[in-house]
Amino acid sequence: MTDWKTVYQDIRPSLNKNKDNHLDTLFTLLRQPSISTLNLGVKECADLLLNMMTENGIKAQLMDTGGHPVVYGELLDPENTTTILFYGHYDVQPPEPLELWESDPFEPTIRNGRIYGRGTGDNKGQLIAHILAVGTLLKEHGSLPVNVKFLFEGEEEKGSVNLASFAEKHKDLLKADIAYTADGPMEGDGQPSVTLGNRGLLYVEVKAQGANRDNHSGNKGNIAPDPGMALLNLVRSMVTEEGDVLIDGFYDGVLTPTPEEAEHLKSLAFYPEKTAKVIGLDSLDMTGEEYYTNLCFKPTFTIAGFETGYTGEGTKTIIPGKAKVKLDMRLAPNQDPQAIYEAIEKHVAAFDSRCRLSVENLSAVKPSKTPLSHPLVQKVIESVEVAYDTPPVVLPALGGTGPMYVFTDILGIPSVTVPYANVDEDNHAPNENLGLKEFYWGIQASCSTILHLGLTD
C-alpha cells in the first residue's frame, strides 16, 4: 500500500506553487458579505461557494433548510471505504463597530503577514481550505483515496437554528465515518490543536415585574416591591458563591473524565501566567489538571447581564418597576439543556417573591463528546502532527459551544475540530484576521487528513 506520508510530501510542491491562486479564491469569498442575522448577502455567498466547489471538482448543490441554504457537496467513489464529512459555515458576524476597523471589513487586506477582513478566520478562511485541498489532490492524482462530503451552513452565527432538523431529514445523504470541522483559534502561536467535543449551552432570561411604573424610593419604600432585589435573591437561591448550582436536577447526567481522559489532562502543558494574561487577570491559582477539567468537563452558571433601575450619572432615587437577568450556562457532556430549562422553570415557579417572575429559553445547544481512543481520531491527530510538523494539543472538549452534537447524536459518528486560525484571530471583533502561514497550514492539514484516512487501513 502507498505510504500516505510520501504522497503528502509529494503534494507539497503543488500547494506551494498555487499559493497565490488559493489566496485569490479566499479573497473572492471574503469580499462577499454574508451576515445571517441581517439576511445580508447570504444567498449570494452560497451561490459563490457553490461555484468554487464545482470549479474544484466537487459535485455541489444548494439545499433548503427553512432558513438560509446549506451548500452540500460530495465526491464519491465506490472503491473507497472511508467517508469524511467536512463541516463549516459561510455566514459571518456583523462588522460593527466600523470605526474600529483599520481597513474595510469586506475588502481583505494583508498587513504584517495577516489577512484582515470579516470572515477570515470565522469561518471562510478555514472552510475554503478543505475545498482547495480537494482541488489540489484531484489535479495531481485525478481521484481521492476517501469519499468526501461537505456540509456548509449559513446560520451558525445565529445558532444553527435549522441544522439539526436538516440532518434528521437527510441522514442517508450525510452518512459518513467521521465529521471534521476547522473552526476557532489554535491553542497558541503556531500550536495546532484537536478537540473532541464541546460544552453545550443553555441561555435563559428571567424577568421580574413589580409595580407597573417606577416609584419614589422614599414615599413608596417598603411598600412597592423591588424587582432587582427579587432577582438577586432568586439567583442566590440558584447558585452558591463558589459556583455550585443548587437547582434540583442540574447535575443529572454529568460525566466525570474517564481514567484515560484524566491521565491525558495531566499531560497537557499549562502556562498559568500566559493564560491569566489572555483572560485579563493578574494571576490564575489553579493547576493544569484543574484548568482543563473545569474547561472541558464541568458546567458553568454565569450572570451574562443584569438590568434594573437607573445606571446613569449621579443619583435617581427610585424603586424600579421591572428588572431582568440573563443567565449563561455551559453544559458538560451528557447534560440535557431541555431538562435543565424545565428544572429552572420549576425553581422559579416555587420561589417566594412579591414580584411576578417569568423565565424564557433564549438558546439551547446540546453538548457533544467523541472518545479519544477512536481509531479515526488517532489518525486525525497524526495527520495534524505531520502537516504542522509538531504534535497538536488534544483537548477532550472545547469550553465553548458548537453544533457538533448534530454529528455525534443525530448522525452517530465521531466528530473532531481542528482549528486552522491563529490564536489571536479576533473573530467576532473588529480587525478579524487570519495569518497567511495559518491559511496555508490549514490546506496542508486537510490534504494530510484526506490522505491518511484513505491510504491506511
Side-chain angles (χ1 to χ4, degrees), residues 374-448:
H374 193 287
L376 290 182
V377 169
Q378 292 300 311
K379 286 187 177 183
V380 169
I381 293 170
E382 186 176 359
S383 301
V384 172
E385 180 174 354
V386 168
Y388 288 88
D389 198 28
T390 188
V393 174
V394 181
L395 297 176
L398 282 172
T401 300
M404 283 63 204
Y405 77 94
V406 169
F407 311 119
T408 56
D409 294 11
I410 297 177
L411 299 182
I413 59 176
S415 172
V416 296
T417 299
V418 183
Y420 290 171
N422 36 289
V423 66
D424 52 354
E425 62 171 326
D426 286 337
N427 53 333
H428 294 204
N431 301 305
E432 179 182 349
N433 64 90
L434 176 66
L436 284 168
K437 66 178 181 180
E438 283 80 8
F439 173 55
Y440 298 128
W441 274 340
I443 303 172
Q444 292 175 191
S446 294
C447 282
S448 177

Side-chain angles (χ1 to χ4, degrees), residues 93-393:
Q93 285 278 321
E96 286 79 7
L98 294 174
E99 66 273 12
L100 297 183
W101 284 83
E102 295 182 21
S103 53
D104 187 331
F106 292 110
E107 183 51 54
T109 305
I110 295 177
R111 297 192 302 272
N112 302 317
R114 299 186 183 206
I115 313 158
Y116 287 85
R118 177 56 87 224
T120 48
D122 190 17
N123 178 246
K124 294 178 180 178
Q126 303 203 51
L127 72 81
I128 201 68
H130 310 316
I131 297 171
L132 297 174
V134 167
T136 300
L137 291 169
L138 287 177
K139 288 177 182 177
E140 292 296 310
H141 298 288
S143 63
L144 301 180
V146 295
N147 295 324
V148 292
K149 297 181 178 182
F150 302 86
L151 175 60
F152 296 146
E153 67 159 321
E155 298 182 320
E156 195 272 349
E157 298 295 4
K158 58 187 296 185
S160 299
V161 290
N162 290 294
L163 186 63
S165 59
F166 179 86
E168 287 279 9
K169 184 178 179 180
H170 298 286
K171 283 185 179 180
D172 289 341
L173 182 70
L174 300 175
K175 186 177 181 181
D177 296 292
I178 189 169
Y180 186 106
T181 301
D183 200 356
M186 290 188 280
E187 281 299 295
D189 186 16
Q191 176 61 65
S193 57
V194 177
T195 58
L196 308 180
N198 56 266
R199 287 195 288 201
L201 171 69
L202 178 62
Y203 197 105
V204 305
E205 180 177 89
V206 185
K207 293 181 178 178
Q209 181 68 54
N212 63 5
R213 62 179 67 89
D214 294 349
N215 277 281
H216 190 289
S217 64
N219 294 340
K220 299 299 186 292
N222 293 332
I223 307 300
D226 183 345
M229 194 65 70
L231 288 185
L232 287 174
N233 291 332
L234 172 65
V235 172
R236 181 50 65 223
S237 76
M238 292 177 162
V239 62
T240 68
E241 189 172 349
E242 292 75 26
D244 297 320
V245 180
L246 304 173
I247 300 167
D248 287 343
F250 182 85
Y251 291 104
D252 289 354
V254 172
L255 301 175
T256 57
T258 65
E260 177 190 32
E261 290 167 338
E263 284 301 312
H264 179 71
L265 293 180
K266 293 178 183 178
S267 70
L268 295 177
F270 178 60
Y271 306 98
E273 296 83 6
K274 291 183 179 180
T275 303
K277 184 177 181 180
V278 169
I279 296 171
L281 299 173
D282 293 331
S283 62
L284 192 61
D285 186 20
M286 62 177 61
T287 66
E289 184 179 3
E290 291 171 332
Y291 174 83
Y292 288 113
T293 299
N294 287 336
L295 193 65
C296 300
F297 288 99
K298 289 187 176 181
T300 71
F301 189 100
T302 303
I303 295 177
F306 194 101
E307 181 180 301
T308 188
Y310 177 72
T311 58
E313 295 296 326
T315 63
K316 186 177 183 182
T317 53
I318 59 168
I319 303 170
K322 59 185 178 181
K324 65 181 178 181
V325 62
K326 294 182 183 290
L327 302 175
D328 177 329
M329 288 151 278
R330 300 295 169 141
L331 307 182
N334 210 43
Q335 283 187 291
D336 181 355
Q338 181 58 33
I340 293 174
Y341 176 68
E342 291 172 1
I344 291 173
E345 283 187 310
K346 184 177 180 180
H347 187 99
V348 171
F351 185 75
D352 186 19
S353 174
R354 294 175 61 204
C355 294
R356 296 190 303 276
L357 303 177
S358 62
V359 59
E360 181 181 1
N361 186 343
L362 298 183
S363 182
V365 180
K366 292 181 179 179
S368 168
K369 186 180 180 184
T370 290
L372 175 63
S373 59
H374 193 287
L376 290 182
V377 169
Q378 292 300 311
K379 286 187 177 183
V380 169
I381 293 170
E382 186 176 359
S383 301
V384 172
E385 180 174 354
V386 168
Y388 288 88
D389 198 28
T390 188
V393 174

